[in-house]
Structure formats: C-alpha cells, structure tokens
Amino acid sequence: MIRVRFAPSPTGYLHIGGARTALFNWMYAKSQEGKFILRIEDTDMERSKQEYVDEIIDSLAWLGFKYDELYFQSKRFDIYKEHALKLLNEGKAFKDGEAVVLKIPQEQQIKLYDLIRGEITFDPATIKDQVLMKSDGSPTYSFACVVDDALMEISHVIRGEDHISNTPKQILIYQALGFKLPKFAHLPLIMGEEGGRLSKRTGAVAVTEYRTMGFLPEAIVNYLMLLGWSPGGNQEVIKFSDAVKKFSIKKVNKTAAEFSMDKLRWINGQYLNAAPAPQIADLAVPLLKEKGYIQENFDRNKIENAVKLFQSRMETLNDFLERADFVFTDQFNIDAEAKEKYLVKDKAKDFKLLGERFFALEDFNVKSVEEAFRHLVAERGIAASDLVHPVRVALTGKAVGPGLFETIALLGKEKTVKRLALAADSL
C-alpha cells in the first residue's frame, strides 16, 4: 500500500511552503488510495511548543487534509535508542562520549532515483561520520527520520528540495539498519515574485494568517496545486476531487514555483463568486461580530443580501468587511478625495429633495427607488450621472461600488433618508 507522511517540526506555525508539501503528499495518497501519515517531529524539546502543534493540526484540518495516523517523535526515544544500540553491537557505529556515531564508508558511490528529478549521484567523500544519538539522549533529525519512515512503512518520501542534501546521509543509515529504501520525490522550492526565497513580505506567512485575511481553504488548496504542478489545458480553477484524478507525482515541475499574491487573490475571488450566498454569509458572520458591526440578534437576511450585492467584487472575505461596512454601521469612513469632489455645496438641495422623495415611498425597493431618483433628476434638468456619484459618497463614503439603486434598497429607507439629510446639513 502507498503510505506517505507529512512531518512538520512544531517550532513554528505551518507556513505556505509546508502546506504545499502536505498537499502534494495528501494528493498522492488520495490518487493511489493510500494512507496519509502525520508525524510531529518534536525532538527539539526546547523549541517545540504545544501551541505550534495545535496550530499545525488545526490548519491541516481547515485545509481538509485528514490524516490516517498520528505520531509524535518525542514519544519514540526508546525506539531510536534501541536501533542505535543495534548498530553499536554490530560495529557499524561507535561511541563518542555519550553520543552514538555511524561510520560512513568512503568507497561506496551513492545514487538516488528521484521521481521528479531523475537520477542523482552523491560523492561519499563529502559525507562525514553521522551522529545518530546526541549526548543528551535525543536522536538527530536524519536518524529519527529514517527509523520512523522504515517502521511506519512509508513507501514514498515527498518533501521539499531543500532536503536533497539530507538524502544521501539517510540512504546510508537505511543501509546500515538493513531497511528497504522508500521512493523519494523532492518538490521545487517556492520563490517570491521578485526572485529569491519566499519571505514573509512575499507570502511566506502562516496558514492561519491567510485564514484571518479572508481566504477560503478551497482557494488556497487550489492555488498550492498550481505551485509546481498543472492539471493541463490551462485550467487554473479546479476542484480537488478532479485534480486528484489527474495527479501524478512524476509530472511535478523540477523548476522553482513563483508565488503570486495577486493570483491567489484572483483564485479566491473565483471561489467567493461561485459559492452560494448563505455559505459566504456563514463565514462573514463571525467577522462582522468581531468588528462589532452586528450583535447576536442580527438580521440574517440583510447579511445575505449584502453578500449578493458585493460577491462579484470580492477577492477575500475582508473585502466584504471593507466595502460593505456602511451597511452595518453609521461610523464609516468617507473617502477624502471623493468627499472633496462630490460633496459640494450645490448638492445640498438635491440631497434634501431626494430624501423627501424617498421618505414618501410606501414600498422601498430597487424599482421604486430608481423611479423616484429619475423623476427628480428629470425635474431638476440635470443628468443622472451628476447626482449618482454624490449620492453614493453621501450614503456609503465611497466613490465606486455596486449599482446605486440596489445599494439604496439594501441600506433601507430610514438610513438612506437620515444620511441624505446629514449630508445636506453638512453642506
């Protein structure tokens, strides 16, 4: 059976590079009807923290990567000591104080067939004797990794190319222990848009931060798929279930993938636009509560209507909070440039008259609002465009937005009339 593993170290939060590695392991397991193992590599007792463990597990769950088995290396020290003792007894390792060190044969050429990169040859002369167990009784990374991968029957080790340098050392440990080698696949690195390694400024932030920024897990997963692999046909938005059917680890690119925040936002916008409004409303409710825009007795229908109005213009959920703030609070900001351009003295009379027309409406809906507006501009002998922008700024604080009449209908008669009166008085 195909068995893969994702093995993060809980010395920090799960970042986008780690999430991509987890995804490719998860996709390969699903495409081959195999198992996905999560192994927390917490041998560094000083730097490993429970809060990082919790965040890693929570982020993987949020992304939809369900593990079949879970292991903690910190609970397996006796197993590592047992295998180190075996190598000592066989004369393949020696003691250096309290540490256990593997003797590295210098005459053997080390070859690896990487599923992505093909054959890689390593010079054994560059590899020194390898410490297996440190003097404090903890295992080194490579030793614990090999023992666990072998005992957990990991068939394929899929990880970042920054681990290529560890592979020849680990191959020698496999051979010394008499374990069967797994197949290896080293994923290309993720680079920033300006070249160089991905940094926090160019997108290397924790998965939880993307969650806070209003990204959907489906969109992040979709985008991470494209960082090193393509479903073909220039397809950029693809369901996970469809991608799994097409996925092949051998078709992963060798070259580095470039991370683009603009592309991620675009893909997220595609998912937001395609999702049912009630689903987006469910996601928006806790954010609106956090902002203090709604209380427990909120109007659910109003939120869904607001989502429908702004959905096609959203790239993240936070866009909704920023663009629809005027719907939920009277304390919204008015764009300074728009205020100077559109909220001018000669509009005061128009605001007052329009407010009176709206107040007189029995049915306050898109149709009646538009009719009242157009009747007024006709009577005043002005173009509709001369009043559309000033009214939008007075009611929303913004120079651009969805259809004005739909916006007014969503805002409601009371708030609309009140804001037009306040704008008229201020002028």
Side-chain angles (χ1 to χ4, degrees):
M1 173 182 279
I2 299 297
R3 289 172 61 85
V4 299
R5 49 69 164 180
F6 176 55
S9 173
T11 54
Y13 297 119
L14 179 65
H15 284 67
I16 211 72
R20 197 273 303 263
T21 299
L23 167 63
F24 278 39
N25 275 278
W26 170 254
M27 286 183 73
Y28 189 66
K30 291 303 169 188
S31 69
Q32 302 297 313
E33 297 184 354
K35 298 290 185 182
F36 175 70
I37 315 304
L38 176 59
R39 185 172 74 222
I40 304 296
E41 298 195 336
D42 55 349
T43 57
D44 187 336
M45 306 304 286
E46 288 188 10
R47 296 174 60 220
S48 297
K49 297 186 184 301
Q50 186 60 44
E51 66 180 280
Y52 297 141
V53 173
D54 295 340
E55 188 274 339
I56 289 169
I57 292 175
D58 183 60
S59 290
L60 290 175
W62 182 68
L63 291 169
F65 308 155
K66 297 178 181 178
Y67 54 80
D68 296 291
E69 299 168 22
L70 172 63
Y71 298 94
F72 291 86
Q73 285 190 332
S74 59
K75 298 179 181 179
R76 298 171 60 82
F77 277 27
D78 288 345
I79 297 174
Y80 309 135
K81 291 175 183 176
E82 176 188 338
H83 284 80
L85 181 60
K86 176 178 179 291
L87 293 175
L88 281 173
N89 292 337
E90 293 174 353
K92 296 177 181 177
F94 60 91
K95 292 288 287 285
D96 181 5
E98 293 299 313
V100 179
V101 184
L102 178 69
K103 299 174 184 176
I104 298 297
Q106 295 299 310
E107 68 283 354
Q108 176 190 349
Q109 191 178 50
I110 307 168
K111 287 186 178 181
L112 160 70
Y113 183 80
D114 188 283
L115 294 175
I116 296 173
R117 299 162 191 281
E119 187 174 281
I120 304 174
T121 303
F122 302 94
D123 181 1
T126 62
I127 304 174
K128 301 177 181 178
D129 290 346
Q130 294 293 299
V131 176
L132 305 179
M133 298 295 293
K134 302 174 188 176
S135 56
D136 63 2
S138 64
T140 57
Y141 164 74
S142 285
F143 186 55
C145 183
V146 168
V147 170
D148 283 344
D149 283 343
L151 297 185
M152 294 173 191
E153 300 181 319
I154 301 302
S155 62
H156 293 71
V157 174
I158 303 171
R159 58 190 180 185
E161 69 174 20
D162 50 326
H163 283 286
I164 288 179
S165 60
N166 291 319
T167 307
K169 306 169 190 175
Q170 292 171 1
I171 288 174
L172 294 173
I173 297 173
Y174 273 105
Q175 292 174 343
L177 289 167
F179 289 145
K180 178 184 177 182
L181 281 175
K183 293 180 179 179
F184 290 91
H186 290 91
L187 305 171
L189 294 178
I190 302 176
M191 311 297 283
E193 289 182 90
E194 301 171 1
R197 292 287 292 270
L198 194 64
S199 65
K200 188 166 185 177
R201 184 177 60 83
T202 55
V205 298
V207 170
T208 47
E209 291 186 60
Y210 284 99
R211 191 174 180 176
T212 302
M213 285 188 281
F215 287 92
L216 303 182
E218 303 95 316
I220 292 179
V221 168
N222 189 145
Y223 182 59
L224 290 178
M225 287 179 197
L226 304 180
L227 294 179
W229 176 79
S230 170
N234 294 320
Q235 191 172 5
E236 294 183 308
V237 178
I238 180 171
K239 290 182 180 179
F240 180 79
S241 57
D242 294 334
V244 165
K245 295 173 186 176
K246 299 182 177 183
F247 185 73
S248 169
I249 195 68
K250 293 182 179 180
K251 291 184 178 179
V252 172
N253 296 334
K254 300 175 187 176
T255 54
E258 183 181 288
F259 184 91
S260 168
M261 182 62 79
D262 287 342
K263 187 67 168 290
L264 174 57
R265 288 180 64 90
W266 179 82
I267 289 177
N268 200 66
Q270 299 303 301
Y271 277 87
L272 284 171
N273 196 24
Q279 178 185 333
I280 303 302
D282 287 340
L283 297 171
V285 164
L287 302 179
L288 291 167
K289 285 183 176 178
E290 187 178 338
K291 279 280 191 179
Y293 288 168
I294 60 173
Q295 307 302 321
E296 289 303 321
N297 58 339
F298 61 87
D299 183 344
R300 168 75 190 204
N301 191 53
K302 186 173 186 178
I303 295 174
E304 286 191 19
N305 287 335
V307 166
K308 291 175 184 176
L309 191 61
F310 287 93
Q311 202 165 358
S312 64
R313 296 168 174 263
M314 292 160 50
E315 288 190 327
T316 70
L317 289 169
N318 285 357
D319 287 343
F320 178 66
L321 296 185
E322 293 171 8
R323 295 174 184 177
D325 57 346
F326 68 89
V327 177
F328 305 101
T329 176
D330 292 326
Q331 306 302 315
F332 57 90
N333 292 322
I334 297 180
D335 180 79
E337 187 176 334
K339 181 179 181 180
E340 183 178 354
K341 184 176 181 180
Y342 295 114
L343 297 188
V344 292
K345 190 174 182 180
D346 64 357
K347 296 301 177 188
K349 184 176 182 179
D350 292 325
F351 289 162
K352 185 177 180 181
L353 290 172
L354 188 60
E356 291 172 354
R357 300 293 174 92
F358 285 161
F359 182 76
L361 293 176
E362 289 188 14
D363 294 321
F364 197 81
N365 53 47
V366 176
K367 183 180 179 182
S368 63
V369 163
E370 182 174 2
E371 287 177 350
F373 182 93
R374 296 198 182 282
H375 285 158
L376 177 64
V377 296
E379 290 173 16
R380 296 279 291 158
I382 60 175
S385 57
D386 290 339
L387 193 54
V388 165
H389 293 301
V391 169
R392 184 188 300 281
V393 175
L395 297 179
T396 72
K398 300 165 179 64
V400 295
L404 177 62
F405 307 123
E406 291 81 1
T407 300
I408 292 172
L410 173 65
L411 194 58
K413 181 196 286 190
E414 184 180 346
K415 284 188 175 181
T416 299
V417 172
K418 180 180 178 182
R419 290 181 188 180
L420 286 172
L422 287 172
D425 290 344
S426 69
L427 300 177

